[in-house]
């Protein structure tokens, strides 16, 4: 199977890669396991030194890697540059804090001494998506390398150049062979891969369907898994919020990565006292967005990642319109070459409509008006997803009280959902389980080992 890289702005095929053979795959896993046997014996200082080298390499290759992201999946060049800088920050964060996060923890016990240690467990399989082709990888690789694990990674088939470039960084810094391995292979081979006894854990960022499949394979083989799946994030605006600021951040929250982010704001829930004002300003700002070449710094909305992605989104929108939703603006493919969708707002949505239930991965916003805080919370929770959410209000105590009642892994007040290396990232319900980033990102694939020592004279 040829793996193709296609520019979604020009629709030009950039490069093709061949899938690795079964024998090459077996050898890659063996190399990763052999590397683990040595890497787990290294000091935290040596591991941190390697992470610092990776961070420095990201920064030295920032222009090249940023342009690669933009040409391969359509991200605005400014956001691509930020992604590369963010990757460097993640590696530096774990280099600086990893030893502290992994330190032994004393446990109070009636007899003797007890300590909890955190030990590496082996080779970790990561399955990662195209929408943040370096960041999604970095947030798995950095903590696991610091732990002492090694990683084999199956990347999305539409960003093979980014996948290869991440591997090339390890070659450039002369990292031990097998420490990190990119695998060009079909998703159909994931089950067999997880069955390999040298794989000790698996994580995935992607769709519900892909996550359920990986979790099934991991459970069948009694291996730990971490899933970060879809989202249908609510963006709640209370009547005391600054509407100008809220609509500016609504654009930012919905349009990040051309609307293709699991934590993008997707459902805009506004109290009726300010609903009309919010919708009017939100619509004007959506319609004013400049579509075009994602390499142009003036462009505000680029193409979707592929023609297939655009076709899927158009089908979702058209189905919802046929079910009775109202189009406030947009709703169609943009009149540009490439995989462009018009900035779109849908309203008058009901529970039996597709857009009410499903995640829309692109520049499409769902708008709802509610009577009070209780209705806002009820609507926010009326989804099978539970990844992120936002609340806008000048009353911080009111917003915090609402945040505690929302079923999501993350709640952000007066800001859209976002990620930061020091903050835990993850969701609940059908958005997955486990956490990445922060100190919690180092707790997933470790052996939390108890050592309890008593002297021969202790009375048990």
């Amino acid at each position: 199977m040829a793996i193709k890289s296609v520019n979604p702005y020009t629709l030009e095929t950039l490069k093709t890669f061949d899938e690795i053979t079964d024998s090459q795959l077996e050898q890659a896993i063996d190399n990763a396991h052999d590397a683990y046997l040595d890497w787990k014996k290294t000091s935290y200082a040596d591991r941190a030194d390697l992470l610092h080298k990776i961070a420095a390499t990201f920064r030295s290759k920032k222009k090249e890697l940023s342009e690669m992201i933009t040409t391969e999946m359509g991200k605005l060049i400014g956001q691509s540059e930020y992604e590369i800088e963010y990757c460097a920050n993640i590696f530096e964060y774990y280099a600086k804090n990893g030893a502290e996060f992994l330190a032994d923890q004393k446990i109070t016990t009636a007899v003797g001494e007890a300590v909890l240690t955190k030990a590496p467990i082996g080779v970790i399989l990561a399955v990662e998506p195209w929408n943040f082709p370096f960041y999604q990888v970095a947030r798995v690789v950095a903590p696991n390398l610091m732990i002492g694990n090694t990683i084999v990674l199956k990347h999305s088939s539409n960003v093979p150049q980014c996948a290869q470039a991440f591997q090339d960084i390890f070659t450039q810094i002369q990292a031990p062979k097998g420490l990190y391995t990119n695998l060009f292979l079909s998703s159909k081979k994931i089950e067999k891969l997880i069955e390999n006894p040298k794989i000790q854990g698996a994580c995935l960022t992607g769709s519900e369907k892909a996550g359920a499949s990986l979790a099934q394979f991991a459970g069948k083989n009694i291996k730990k898994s971490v899933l970060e799946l879809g989202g249908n994030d609510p963006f709640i605006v209370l009547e005391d919020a600054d509407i100008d600021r809220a609509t500016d951040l609504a654009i930012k929250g919905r349009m990040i990565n051309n609307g293709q982010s699991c934590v993008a704001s997707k459902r805009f829930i506004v109290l009726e006292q300010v609903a009309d004002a919010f919708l009017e300003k939100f619509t004007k700002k959506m319609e004013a967005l400049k579509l075009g070449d994602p390499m142009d710094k003036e462009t505000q909305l680029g193409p979707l990642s592929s023609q297939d992605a655009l076709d899927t989104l158009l089908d979702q929108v058209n189905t919802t319109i046929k079910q009775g939703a109202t189009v406030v603006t947009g709703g169609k493919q943009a009149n540009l070459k490439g995989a462009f969708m018009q900035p779109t707002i849908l309203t008058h949505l009901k529970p039996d409509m597709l857009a009410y239930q499903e995640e829309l991965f692109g520049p499409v916003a769902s708008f709802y008006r509610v009577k009070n805080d209780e209705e806002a919370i009820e609507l926010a929770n009326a989804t099978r997803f539970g990844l992120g959410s936002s609340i806008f209000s000048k009353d911080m105590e009111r917003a915090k009280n609402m945040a505690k009642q929302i079923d999501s892994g993350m709640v952000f007040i007066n800001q859209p959902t976002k990620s930061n290396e020091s903050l835990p990232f993850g969701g609940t319900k059908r958005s997955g389980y486990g956490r990445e980033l922060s100190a919690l990102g180092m707790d997933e694939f470790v052996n939390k080992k108890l050592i309890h020592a008593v002297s021969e004279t202790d009375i048990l």
Side-chain angles (χ1 to χ4, degrees), residues 221-414:
N221 290 278
I222 317 178
K223 294 179 181 179
K224 174 73 179 288
S225 62
V226 171
L227 304 178
E228 194 274 281
L229 309 178
N232 204 358
D233 288 15
F235 184 106
I236 300 171
V237 181
L238 305 184
E239 81 286 347
D240 65 340
D242 181 332
I243 300 303
D244 284 327
R245 181 175 183 275
T247 48
D248 283 344
L249 293 177
I251 295 293
K252 181 179 180 181
R254 176 61 274 201
M255 296 303 174
I256 184 71
N257 203 31
N258 301 325
Q260 302 165 115
S261 171
C262 53
V263 293
S265 305
K266 298 184 176 80
R267 295 181 297 142
F268 296 84
I269 302 170
V270 186
L271 263 65
E272 60 184 5
Q273 298 97 311
V274 292
D276 289 340
F278 179 94
L279 183 57
E280 181 182 357
K281 292 183 177 183
F282 188 32
T283 302
K284 287 181 179 178
K285 291 174 183 179
M286 288 278 271
E287 292 175 341
L289 291 171
K290 180 182 177 182
L291 283 65
D293 184 354
M295 289 293 291
D296 184 344
K297 291 275 190 177
E298 298 300 314
T299 298
Q300 296 171 302
L301 180 62
L304 297 188
S305 63
S306 67
Q307 185 63 44
D308 285 346
L310 174 60
D311 291 342
T312 297
L313 183 60
L314 284 168
D315 183 64
Q316 290 176 306
V317 170
N318 289 333
T319 298
T320 304
I321 293 169
K322 290 176 182 177
Q323 291 170 334
T326 299
V327 180
V328 178
T329 188
K332 298 179 181 179
Q333 180 173 348
N335 188 26
L336 292 168
K337 181 181 179 180
F340 283 90
M341 178 74 185
Q342 293 177 341
T344 298
I345 301 175
L346 301 175
T347 190
H348 297 109
L349 295 157
K350 297 179 181 179
D352 60 348
M353 296 180 181
L354 185 147
Y356 189 100
Q357 301 292 344
E358 299 295 328
E359 177 180 30
L360 302 185
F361 223 54
V364 180
S366 299
F367 177 82
Y368 301 84
R369 62 182 72 221
V370 293
K371 295 179 181 178
N372 50 46
D373 295 9
E374 290 72 28
E375 273 195 19
I377 294 167
E378 182 179 2
L379 181 55
N381 291 337
T383 172
R384 66 180 183 275
F385 297 106
L387 191 52
S389 54
S390 302
I391 302 171
F392 289 78
S393 174
K394 292 184 175 68
D395 187 335
M396 291 296 288
E397 290 307 311
R398 178 185 177 192
K400 290 177 183 177
N401 179 59
M402 291 181 71
K404 292 177 181 179
Q405 300 176 66
I406 292 177
D407 301 331
S408 66
M410 302 170 284
V411 182
F412 291 81
I413 296 174
N414 293 323

Side-chain angles (χ1 to χ4, degrees), residues 37-267:
L37 295 178
D38 290 331
W39 187 245
K40 70 177 183 177
K41 300 173 186 175
T42 57
S43 67
Y44 291 151
D46 286 343
R47 297 174 198 172
D49 181 61
L50 183 123
L51 265 59
H52 279 301
K53 288 180 181 177
I54 295 172
T57 306
F58 265 109
R59 290 201 169 97
S60 71
K61 297 166 72 72
K62 181 176 178 178
K63 183 176 186 297
E64 171 192 341
L65 298 179
S66 300
E67 291 178 353
M68 186 180 294
I69 295 173
T70 296
T71 57
E72 195 161 46
M73 54 73 59
K75 192 190 301 285
L76 298 181
I77 187 62
Q79 293 180 19
S80 295
E81 291 168 350
Y82 174 81
E83 180 172 339
I84 297 305
E85 189 68 29
Y86 189 16
C87 288
N89 292 344
I90 290 171
F91 278 98
E92 288 180 340
Y93 175 78
Y94 284 107
K96 295 174 181 177
N97 298 291
E100 178 185 347
F101 295 157
L102 295 167
D104 290 352
Q105 299 174 17
K106 290 184 178 180
I107 300 173
T108 301
T109 181
V111 180
E113 297 178 354
V115 64
L116 184 72
T117 68
K118 297 179 181 179
I121 61 174
V123 184
I124 306 302
L125 167 66
V127 181
E128 299 302 322
W130 49 264
N131 55 340
F132 294 89
F134 287 97
Y135 154 63
Q136 302 275 16
V137 178
R139 75 184 195 190
V140 172
V141 173
N144 277 293
L145 287 182
M146 194 65 201
I147 289 166
N149 296 325
T150 58
I151 300 96
V152 294
L153 187 135
K154 185 258 186 273
H155 216 320
S156 182
S157 60
N158 65 325
V159 287
Q161 292 191 86
C162 293
Q164 183 61 56
F166 207 108
Q167 176 76 75
D168 291 344
I169 288 174
F170 281 77
T171 302
Q172 181 175 333
I173 66 170
Q174 299 181 324
K177 181 180 180 181
L179 206 62
Y180 171 84
T181 308
N182 173 64
L183 305 172
F184 284 128
L185 79 165
S186 166
S187 57
K188 295 177 181 178
K189 295 186 178 180
I190 295 298
E191 180 176 10
K192 184 177 180 181
L193 196 53
I194 293 178
E195 288 175 352
N196 190 310
K198 292 178 179 177
I199 300 289
Q200 294 300 310
C203 60
L204 177 144
T205 297
S207 68
E208 278 184 90
K209 182 178 178 181
S213 179
L214 181 134
Q216 179 183 7
F217 301 151
K220 179 180 176 182
N221 290 278
I222 317 178
K223 294 179 181 179
K224 174 73 179 288
S225 62
V226 171
L227 304 178
E228 194 274 281
L229 309 178
N232 204 358
D233 288 15
F235 184 106
I236 300 171
V237 181
L238 305 184
E239 81 286 347
D240 65 340
D242 181 332
I243 300 303
D244 284 327
R245 181 175 183 275
T247 48
D248 283 344
L249 293 177
I251 295 293
K252 181 179 180 181
R254 176 61 274 201
M255 296 303 174
I256 184 71
N257 203 31
N258 301 325
Q260 302 165 115
S261 171
C262 53
V263 293
S265 305
K266 298 184 176 80
R267 295 181 297 142

